[in-house]
Amino acid sequence: MQVISTIAELRTRLNGEHAVAFVPTMGNLHEGHLELMKLARKHGDCVVASIFVNPLQFGPNEDFDRYPRTLEADCASLQGLADIVFAPSVNGMYPERQTVFVEPPPIANELDGAARPGHFRGMATVVLKLLNIVQPQVALFGKKDYQQLHIIRQLVAQLNLPVLIVGGETVRAADGLALSSRNQYLSTAERNEATFLYQTLQSMRVAILQGERDFEQLQKQAVEHLAARNWSADYIEVRNQSDLQPPHSEQGYPVQQLVILAAARLGNTRLLDNVEVCLA
Ligand code: PAF
């Protein structure tokens, strides 16, 4: 496995590779990332992981400075899974002030985007840069960041990028908590409590499967249940999988493929999760 830090060196190394599968990350890798790497191997002969904490997608009061940077440990866990680790510096990615941005679709201002203005613009901009730098045939992203994956699919489709986007399933701890680099911000007591978010989404899923269609009421109850246990929910929303809009009839038929999306704060940690609900 080669660790490469400059764009020029990466381009030289990738010259002649025709089946590149790419997993962009911000490092601090956990089992969820490693599962994506294994999936990447099924999609390409040359597996590239990038590790770059992208300043453009963090708001002024967010955790850019304290975001865990663990390059050495990350490279150790990528041994045998990746062929190349691309770990550029901030200066390498942004040698001049970035004044050209991707304008993401309007959904970027809802859900996570409502709580994190500019986040998806910064994310989409760096993803486009990374795809242009690596020029993979396939790029893989986790479904845990469901809205991110949706926006990346739109970016690739609407800007005609020649890359196949593959979503990897969310990897969970034994108690159901979705793995995330931010879980390590949780205290022991918070970590024990954290699984309640997933349990809440699962209860909503069961209710919908059993016929509940008053989604607003379900959402309101979930927010209240979380609040009663000292959580503060940014949103808990039932949406269509296809466009992330509130469920509506499609050509007279009720939407069958739903997803429940949530972001909620426990202490100082903001956790994201989602579960899909397929009615047919
Ligand atoms: O999901 C992430 O880790 C980041 O948002 C990504 C896609 C690597 C862009 O910085």
Side-chain angles (χ1 to χ4, degrees):
M1 187 182 81
Q2 266 177 283
V3 181
I4 294 179
S5 60
T6 68
I7 295 171
E9 201 190 332
L10 182 71
R11 288 212 161 120
T12 307
R13 166 63 184 80
L14 287 176
N15 197 9
E17 294 284 359
H18 296 297
V20 175
F22 176 41
V23 182
T25 81
M26 296 206 301
N28 198 243
L29 305 181
H30 50 66
E31 203 47 45
H33 295 110
L34 303 186
E35 284 301 316
L36 269 186
M37 305 301 308
K38 290 175 198 161
L39 188 57
R41 180 62 65 194
K42 296 186 181 153
H43 286 275
D45 299 335
C46 175
V47 173
V48 180
S50 67
I51 296 181
F52 179 64
V53 184
N54 171 36
L56 242 50
Q57 68 190 73
F58 288 79
N61 299 318
E62 293 186 347
D63 56 347
F64 175 69
D65 287 333
R66 70 172 180 138
Y67 198 87
R69 288 156 172 89
T70 53
L71 183 59
E72 214 174 304
D74 291 342
C75 288
S77 55
L78 287 171
Q79 284 290 352
L81 295 177
D83 301 300
I84 300 171
V85 177
F86 176 50
S89 64
V90 172
N91 205 35
M93 285 297 283
Y94 300 113
E96 56 190 84
R97 194 167 69 85
Q98 187 77 20
T99 53
V100 177
F101 292 88
V102 172
E103 178 65 31
I107 191 68
N109 300 319
E110 295 181 35
L111 303 165
D112 237 47
R116 306 186 66 191
H119 166 67
F120 287 119
R121 179 182 188 245
M123 180 283 294
T125 302
V126 83
V127 167
L128 179 59
K129 281 169 75 90
L130 287 167
L131 291 175
N132 282 334
I133 292 165
V134 178
Q135 302 191 4
Q137 279 63 48
V138 180
L140 300 95
F141 299 84
K143 277 165 93 170
K144 180 182 159 280
D145 296 309
Y146 208 90
Q147 190 178 5
Q148 167 172 286
L149 177 59
H150 174 79
I151 290 169
I152 291 168
R153 288 192 194 282
Q154 297 290 303
L155 164 81
V156 164
Q158 294 188 23
L159 296 183
N160 306 88
L161 302 184
V163 59
L164 174 72
I165 300 299
V166 172
E169 293 303 324
T170 301
V171 178
R172 298 181 181 278
D175 67 354
L177 176 67
L179 298 192
S180 161
S181 302
R182 290 187 169 105
N183 291 352
Q184 64 189 262
Y185 298 154
L186 297 165
S187 68
T188 309
E190 287 168 349
R191 172 62 192 83
N192 291 334
E193 172 64 18
T195 183
F196 189 66
L197 182 60
Y198 179 58
Q199 288 169 7
T200 303
L201 299 187
Q202 280 295 6
S203 308
M204 292 175 74
R205 177 172 176 275
V206 169
I208 295 170
L209 288 174
Q210 288 174 344
E212 179 60 78
R213 291 296 176 270
D214 188 345
F215 300 134
E216 292 213 352
Q217 182 61 15
L218 266 184
Q219 291 164 187
K220 189 166 163 284
Q221 276 169 1
V223 170
E224 284 168 3
H225 284 152
L226 284 161
R229 297 171 68 124
N230 288 328
W231 290 74
S232 163
D234 282 348
Y235 61 86
I236 300 190
E237 296 263 345
V238 181
R239 298 279 173 126
N240 299 329
Q241 284 180 25
S242 59
D243 57 7
L244 298 192
Q245 293 303 316
H248 53 258
S249 281
E250 271 171 3
Q251 294 150 352
Y253 296 99
V255 173
Q256 306 281 0
Q257 312 295 322
L258 301 172
V259 56
I260 313 170
L261 301 156
R265 290 169 204 272
L266 185 57
N268 293 325
T269 310
R270 186 169 183 276
L271 298 176
L272 276 190
D273 205 348
N274 64 77
V275 298
E276 292 181 327
V277 191
C278 300
L279 296 171

